[in-house]
């Protein structure tokens, strides 16, 4: 988790975020929504070098789904279609009640990882993802009970404060996902990333997630700082300015190419499990 | 469903775009609806189009039509 890790050629973990809950085929025709589509996307991302797949579930209409049953369909399809990829379920759910937020943790088997949003953020004009401390605690407790590694979603500096406050409760290494973009996210700038990384505990591992056009430069910088990267249509539908990406795998392929040019090997799923203490 | 937005429709196609399953469509904005906005249109989870949807409010003349589409970014959740 440092520039020395980059110099030492520490493997970089690539996470593919395939679907999300904000946008769908109305925004990008190739964004996967059905279990079969999500599974196919996961398989191509694994073949391209992703070692973690971040999953959301959808209804047939493309609308959001949080139920254990729908997540079970998605995760079963992904497990069938992939060889060894680490499965990470989202527990995010702007506007959704707490009892639904925990349902993605209750699949059989449990996901190896799950996202844990560390505080509030705004959506559109009138919608807020509250993520109160009570909600975070409830989700985190259930993750611990089920042996699920939390990925701490740090949407801004305040969420980093919240994360550091519970870091003693986490199994080592704590895993932070540093998120940059508009609105209530951290200001998307290299200075912000450098500052965030400088505040992390020494034993931490971190991932970099940049929304939209910030994905390429900030994930590249994350690799130089010894971090890991998350790419995919959930966070960015454009491959470059004005050009829609072809697929989730296209983003993974680019991240793998960049890592190779920078001298960082790409972690296999087994290496990712070792690095992240799964 | 009493809290359902009157502008909400479900369509398989419009303007040359088609989908296998019917998707939420906003007849006020004349576009398919993003998933999180659809929860507002339908009135799920205590959300209410009359209070929470800037598109509805703009078309009812209750606020300026300056609603933004967070297009190139997703949710990060």
């Amino acid at each position: 988790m440092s520039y020395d890790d980059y110099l030492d050629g520490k493997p970089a973990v690539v996470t593919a975020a395939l679907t999300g809950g904000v946008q769908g085929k109305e925004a990008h025709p190739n964004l996967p929504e059905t279990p079969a589509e999500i599974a196919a996307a996961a398989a191509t991302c694994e073949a391209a070098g992703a070692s973690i797949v971040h999953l959301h579930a959808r209804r047939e209409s493309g609308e959001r789904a949080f139920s254990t049953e729908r997540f079970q369909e998605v995760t079963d399809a992904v497990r069938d279609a992939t060889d060894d990829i680490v499965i990470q379920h989202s527990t995010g759910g702007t506007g959704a009640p707490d009892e639904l937020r925990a349902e993605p943790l209750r699949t059989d088997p449990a996901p190896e990882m799950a996202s844990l949003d560390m505080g509030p953020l705004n959506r559109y004009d009138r919608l807020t993802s509250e993520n109160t401390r009570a909600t975070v605690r409830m989700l985190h407790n259930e993750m611990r009970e089920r042996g699920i590694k939390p990925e701490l979603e740090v949407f801004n500096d305040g969420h980093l404060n919240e994360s550091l406050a519970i870091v003693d409760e986490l199994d080592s290494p704590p895993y932070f996902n540093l998120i940059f973009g508009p609105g209530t996210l951290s200001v998307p700038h290299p200075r912000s990333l450098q500052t965030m990384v400088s505040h992390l505990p020494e034993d931490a591992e971190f991932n970099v997630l940049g929304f939209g056009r910030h994905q390429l430069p900030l994930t590249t910088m994350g690799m130089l700082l010894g971090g890991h990267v998350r790419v995919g249509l959930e966070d960015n539908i454009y491959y470059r300015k004005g050009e829609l990406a072809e697929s989730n795998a296209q983003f993974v392929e680019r991240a793998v190419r960049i890592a190779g040019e920078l001298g960082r090997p790409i972690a296999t799923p087994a290496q990712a499990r070792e690095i992240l203490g799964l | 469903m009493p809290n359902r937005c009157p502008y909400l429709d479900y369509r398989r196609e419009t303007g040359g775009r088609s989908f296998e399953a019917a998707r939420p469509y906003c007849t006020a904005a004349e576009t398919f609806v993003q998933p999180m906005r659809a929860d507002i249109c339908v009135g799920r989870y205590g959300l209410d189009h009359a209070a929470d949807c800037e598109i509805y409010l703009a078309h009812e003349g209750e606020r300026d039509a300056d609603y933004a589409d967070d297009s190139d970014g997703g949710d990060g959740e």
Side-chain angles (χ1 to χ4, degrees):
Chain A
M1 196 277 318
S2 68
Y3 182 58
D4 287 340
D5 287 330
Y6 159 70
L7 294 174
D8 292 342
K10 179 177 180 175
V13 177
V14 177
T15 297
L18 309 175
T19 301
V22 168
Q23 52 200 6
K25 290 188 188 297
E26 77 293 328
H28 193 301
N30 295 337
L31 192 144
E33 293 180 340
T34 67
E37 290 172 343
I38 294 170
T44 57
C45 287
E46 183 181 40
S51 50
I52 300 175
V53 66
H54 175 77
L55 300 179
H56 287 247
R58 298 289 186 87
R59 301 163 194 248
E60 290 297 325
S61 63
E63 293 166 80
R64 301 187 301 168
F66 303 101
S67 69
T68 302
E69 290 74 17
R70 192 60 171 168
F71 262 86
Q72 190 72 55
E73 291 180 49
V74 172
T75 201
D76 285 348
V78 170
R79 289 175 194 276
D80 286 346
T82 56
D83 291 327
D84 192 32
I85 202 161
V86 175
I87 289 179
Q88 179 189 91
H89 288 178
S90 169
T91 63
T94 301
D98 284 0
E99 57 264 31
L100 279 180
R101 299 278 298 276
E103 292 226 3
L105 303 174
R106 297 169 181 167
T107 57
D108 182 17
E112 288 180 85
M113 302 181 72
S115 60
L116 183 60
D117 297 359
M118 294 306 297
L121 60 154
N122 291 337
R123 304 288 195 188
Y124 309 135
D125 199 30
R126 299 288 297 260
L127 203 54
T128 294
S129 188
E130 292 184 325
N131 299 313
T132 64
R133 285 176 178 161
T135 301
V136 173
R137 189 180 308 117
M138 178 274 292
L139 292 169
H140 188 202
N141 285 341
E142 185 147 345
M143 288 183 202
R144 281 190 293 201
E145 289 169 6
R146 302 215 69 200
I148 300 167
K149 176 89 176 187
E151 179 183 78
L152 307 179
E153 308 298 319
V154 176
F155 289 92
N156 56 47
D157 285 10
H159 297 177
L160 184 56
N161 274 336
E162 296 286 86
S163 300
L164 295 175
I166 66 164
V167 78
D168 289 343
E169 304 171 21
L170 302 168
D171 291 335
S172 184
Y175 186 44
F176 298 78
N177 186 17
L178 309 178
I179 304 168
F180 301 86
T184 36
L185 277 61
S186 288
V187 174
H189 192 280
R191 277 194 303 269
S192 307
L193 174 54
Q194 180 69 68
T195 300
M196 295 277 266
V197 170
S198 72
H199 289 305
L200 296 177
E202 280 192 11
D203 68 334
E205 296 287 341
F206 73 92
N207 178 81
V208 179
L209 191 175
F211 274 19
R213 63 191 170 127
H214 304 290
Q215 188 167 87
L216 176 60
L218 293 181
T219 56
T220 301
M221 183 177 170
M223 288 189 204
L224 289 169
L225 295 175
H228 310 290
V229 300
R230 171 171 139 177
V231 295
L233 292 171
E234 172 172 346
D235 308 318
N236 174 28
I237 60 174
Y238 291 99
Y239 191 71
R240 57 177 63 91
K241 186 174 182 179
E243 179 186 332
L244 286 177
E246 294 173 3
S247 64
N248 279 290
Q250 189 185 25
F251 285 121
V252 175
E253 290 163 0
R254 180 163 68 180
V256 168
R257 279 200 309 274
I258 291 169
E261 290 294 332
L262 296 175
R264 283 196 70 182
I266 293 298
T268 64
Q271 288 174 316
R273 289 183 176 95
E274 183 177 352
I275 292 168
L276 301 180
L278 304 184
Chain B
M1 188 174 292
N3 199 24
R4 179 177 162 133
C5 176
Y7 294 119
L8 175 64
D9 193 9
Y10 276 81
R11 295 184 182 180
R12 292 180 186 273
E13 65 84 25
T14 188
R17 302 186 69 187
S18 62
F19 298 100
E20 288 186 10
R23 303 177 69 86
Y25 181 87
C26 177
T27 59
E30 297 183 341
T31 184
F32 285 104
V33 179
Q34 292 187 329
M36 197 181 299
R37 289 188 190 275
D39 290 330
I40 302 173
C41 303
V42 175
R44 295 189 184 104
Y45 316 136
L47 298 170
D48 180 359
H49 63 275
D52 301 322
C53 179
E54 61 267 39
I55 299 171
Y56 174 85
L57 293 170
H59 283 268
E60 292 294 299
E62 295 178 24
R63 56 157 289 171
D64 294 334
D66 62 350
Y67 50 86
D69 184 357
D70 299 339
S71 56
D72 66 350
D75 53 337
E77 294 178 336

